[in-house]
Amino acid sequence: MAMLWKFMRVAKYSKTTALSSKVKVRGIPTHSRHSSSKSVPSDFGANAPCSNTVELLGKSYPQDDYTNVTEKILSKVGKNLHNRKHHPLWLIKEQVKEHFYKHYLGRRGTPLFSVYDGLSPVVTVQQNFDSLLIPQNHASRRKEDNYYLNRDHMLRAHTSAHQWDLIHSGLDAFLAVGDVYRRDTIDSTHYPVFHQMEGVRLFSCHELFSSIKDGEGLQLFEQGHRTAHKQECHTMEAVRLVEFNLKQVLTKLMTHIFGDGLQVRWVDCYFPFTHPSFEMEINFQGEWMEVLGCGVMEQQLVNS
């Protein structure tokens, strides 16, 4: 059984910074398209590469009718600002890492969560969508919302594109950090290139219930029915414990980042790869601002 969370735009690019410095708690939108996406800005939506291939990070990708990545966007790829020491993105990443390394330890006293911040932003369409149970006709796949190298490859739209591979490699607790790309209109909170940090933790029956008095008889799974609060294969006791753990971990993290006295509220939402799903909002300058999306991972993803 697993839980997933994703910090939204960990830090945005200002237009000035982004044009002079070149460069996976939301992922897939709650409704019909990427969350908070808008129409593509004209200066980032034109001037596609002129040759028959897209050259990127030492590899060549044949162009086809899906190719829509622009030279301006390609110039941002590979800068890895989140790994540049003392850059604001690096500082935030390190602050989060320090928090998790300090507070979440494994059996031998070593950090429970491993961190992956060097994964390639070029992914397959299968990684970005299919591996996350996103239907073929889902609006989030549209060319208007993504940067495609061709029909098979794209710039990741979320760090969730790496989720299946990392779990399949045997990991059960990890953080993934990286630059992500969406065809957003530039405004005070949006830019076509931004960063996400994502966390995943898988629980065994022992890990989830070991601290519960008389918890030996509790189970993770059952043959039940899907409701608004749980998946058909999960017991209500397991879901409640995972949800409590998830919200507690993220509330502590946000307090660590923003300070004590933080006003937090949770909003029920929908993601294709988690159920139940939630968004966290914090009160910032008198307004509620979403900072992450999260939820209990669809068991089908773990089983796959």
Side-chain angles (χ1 to χ4, degrees):
M1 191 170 182
M3 65 182 187
L4 159 74
W5 64 89
K6 183 180 306 180
F7 311 116
M8 286 291 292
R9 298 168 186 266
V10 175
K12 74 180 183 64
Y13 290 87
S14 69
K15 188 170 183 179
T16 303
T17 302
L19 296 182
S20 60
S21 301
K22 303 174 183 177
V23 163
K24 297 271 84 127
V25 145
R26 157 183 345 200
I28 299 304
T30 56
H31 299 295
S32 63
R33 55 184 298 165
H34 288 309
S35 60
S36 305
S37 293
K38 301 181 181 180
S39 300
V40 59
S42 59
D43 58 339
F44 279 82
N47 302 320
C50 298
S51 66
N52 292 326
T53 61
V54 178
E55 306 293 330
L56 186 59
L57 301 179
K59 295 184 179 180
S60 298
Y61 300 90
Q63 292 194 47
D64 58 25
D65 59 328
Y66 252 64
T67 305
N68 66 354
V69 65
T70 68
E71 292 288 356
K72 192 165 286 188
I73 288 296
L74 290 175
S75 72
K76 311 296 179 186
V77 180
K79 290 302 179 180
N80 298 323
L81 300 183
H82 59 290
N83 288 334
R84 290 192 177 185
K85 196 170 183 178
H86 304 308
H87 189 280
L89 289 168
W90 179 87
L91 293 173
I92 295 173
K93 182 191 73 172
E94 292 300 309
Q95 189 176 13
V96 175
K97 283 173 55 179
E98 178 187 14
H99 176 79
F100 275 91
Y101 284 173
K102 179 179 179 180
H103 293 283
Y104 304 99
L105 301 177
R107 296 177 182 176
R108 300 181 179 179
T110 56
L112 178 66
F113 287 83
S114 52
V115 178
Y116 297 85
D117 56 10
L119 301 169
S120 174
V122 179
V123 297
T124 64
V125 172
Q126 193 277 337
Q127 288 175 299
N128 201 78
F129 296 120
D130 300 330
S131 71
L132 296 168
L133 309 179
I134 298 168
Q136 289 287 336
N137 60 352
H138 199 279
S140 64
R141 294 176 179 253
R142 298 190 310 172
K143 290 174 64 176
E144 291 81 4
D145 289 345
N146 301 284
Y147 288 104
Y148 284 93
L149 304 182
N150 52 40
R151 280 185 171 270
D152 298 320
H153 295 85
M154 62 187 297
L155 297 179
R156 62 189 169 207
H158 47 193
T159 48
S160 300
H162 303 291
Q163 206 178 96
W164 191 93
D165 293 315
L166 291 173
I167 294 175
H168 189 254
S169 71
L171 298 174
D172 55 13
F174 59 85
L175 304 175
V177 193
D179 42 330
V180 296
Y181 301 80
R182 298 184 189 171
R183 299 187 70 186
D184 285 353
T185 297
I186 299 172
D187 59 24
S188 62
T189 59
H190 292 83
Y191 193 75
V193 186
F194 58 102
H195 284 71
Q196 286 183 334
M197 174 177 281
E198 177 161 337
V200 169
R201 182 176 181 186
L202 278 67
F203 289 94
S204 67
C205 192
H206 172 74
E207 289 171 324
L208 193 58
F209 297 126
S210 61
S211 61
I212 304 299
K213 184 179 180 180
D214 300 325
E216 295 84 359
L218 298 177
Q219 299 295 322
L220 292 178
F221 304 110
E222 68 177 8
Q223 292 182 341
H225 301 281
R226 177 172 290 240
T227 70
H229 306 289
K230 62 180 281 298
Q231 298 173 39
E232 55 270 27
C233 58
H234 292 158
T235 64
M236 183 56 72
E237 294 82 7
V239 172
R240 285 175 175 170
L241 279 174
V242 170
E243 179 182 335
F244 174 79
N245 184 289
L246 176 64
K247 292 180 176 179
Q248 184 183 54
V249 166
L250 295 174
T251 300
K252 287 182 178 179
L253 176 62
M254 290 299 111
T255 301
H256 171 68
I257 293 176
F258 293 108
D260 295 329
L262 189 68
Q263 288 183 277
V264 171
R265 71 180 184 186
W266 294 95
V267 180
D268 294 337
C269 64
Y270 164 77
F271 302 122
F273 38 81
T274 57
H275 180 75
S277 304
F278 315 97
E279 291 173 348
M280 175 195 277
E281 297 180 349
I282 63 173
N283 195 291
F284 178 70
Q285 296 182 347
E287 295 184 3
W288 289 101
M289 180 178 68
E290 180 189 345
V291 290
L292 60 87
C294 61
V296 179
M297 188 182 297
E298 287 284 353
Q299 191 64 34
Q300 183 180 340
L301 288 179
V302 183
N303 294 345
S304 69

